[in-house]
Amino acid sequence: MTSQRARDRLIERLRGEGIRDERVLTAMRQVPRHLFIDEALASRAYEDTALPIGKSQTISQPWVVARMTEALLGAGPEQPVPKRVLEIGTGSGYQAAVLSLLVDEVHTVERIDELLRVARKRFRTLGFANIRTRHDDGRAGWAEHAPFDAIIVTAAGAMVEPALLAQLKPDGVLVAPVGGSTSQELQRWRNNGQGWQPETLGSVVFVPLLPGVA
């Protein structure tokens, strides 16, 4: 269940469910998702489902990872790929690993120290050298390294934090789930020349974006 064949089956399922960007599918085929979850759950790694990673957090459903990554990259291969991306909510590290194969630099912030330490070890072991990590309140972003070409948020807040939009380049893009515990939508924010405006990409379910550090 952790073989390349299992990964290939997942990619074909994602393609059948509407993921069109072959760059995203190729990256997800390369990243060993079973190494980003507990060994006891490894047999379920290539199911298209979210799985627990401890501390009341989850590794996102592969389709959601693919959809958010696709939304971040833009309309298609003719669009310039973001060079520097900020991720809010490292979690297991899987989303950052997928992004690291597609962009020059990934900066990722996690509020739960224990999760971040495990993710850092995975990055080192698997050779993801272009990922920088920080233990902090993700709602504040990472201002020292701003502006970013793109920001991806992997936990749901009632609104998009103004501090994050302020850390984007004028032509940047932010992808985030927005809403409460019972209703959330995936949004893509871009600047139309008159300010940042959201585009709704569909319904999703994420853990909440919490304040502070743990």
Side-chain angles (χ1 to χ4, degrees):
M1 290 301 295
T2 60
S3 67
Q4 187 63 54
R5 183 179 299 177
R7 270 186 249 180
D8 290 343
R9 283 197 297 268
L10 172 62
I11 297 309
E12 289 309 310
R13 183 179 303 159
L14 296 177
R15 188 179 281 116
E17 292 175 353
I19 302 302
R20 295 286 177 258
D21 195 320
E22 289 297 326
R23 298 169 297 179
V24 175
L25 294 170
T26 297
M28 292 186 67
R29 181 182 280 112
Q30 293 174 332
V31 177
R33 189 172 185 251
H34 64 281
L35 298 181
F36 288 82
I37 57 176
D38 190 275
E39 189 174 352
L41 293 171
S43 64
R44 301 186 61 195
Y46 299 103
E47 297 176 9
D48 190 20
T49 186
L51 295 169
I53 59 172
K55 303 298 180 181
S56 300
Q57 304 298 299
T58 61
I59 182 173
S60 293
Q61 175 188 359
W63 184 87
V64 171
V65 173
R67 183 69 185 96
M68 293 182 76
T69 306
E70 192 174 57
L72 204 72
L73 292 185
E78 71 280 1
Q79 298 292 320
V81 174
K83 294 183 180 297
R84 302 175 68 251
V85 175
L86 172 64
E87 179 192 33
I88 304 302
T90 312
S92 69
Y94 179 70
Q95 174 73 80
V98 171
L99 285 169
S100 76
L101 298 179
L102 296 163
V103 305
D104 291 349
E105 298 176 15
V106 179
H107 295 72
T108 182
V109 181
E110 172 58 54
R111 65 179 294 273
I112 302 175
D113 182 58
E114 185 175 334
L115 291 181
L116 186 59
R117 283 189 280 111
V118 174
R120 283 170 172 159
K121 184 177 180 180
R122 288 174 177 138
F123 298 150
R124 288 194 299 270
T125 301
L126 295 170
F128 293 110
N130 62 337
I131 302 176
R132 296 185 180 186
T133 64
R134 180 173 185 167
H135 178 226
D136 206 347
D137 184 340
R139 299 175 309 157
W142 199 340
E144 297 95 307
H145 291 286
F148 297 97
D149 298 298
I151 297 176
I152 188 168
V153 185
T154 62
M159 57 178 283
V160 170
E161 295 290 334
L164 298 181
L165 292 174
Q167 292 175 33
L168 274 175
K169 291 183 177 178
D171 59 349
V173 58
L174 179 146
V175 176
V178 178
S181 59
T182 58
S183 177
Q184 301 168 10
E185 60 182 29
L186 186 62
Q187 295 182 351
R188 176 167 54 192
W189 287 70
R190 289 186 283 202
N191 193 331
N192 64 2
Q194 298 179 336
W196 296 101
Q197 298 293 328
E199 168 192 2
T200 299
L201 304 178
S203 298
V204 288
V205 178
F206 277 81
V207 297
L209 181 64
L210 298 176
V213 295

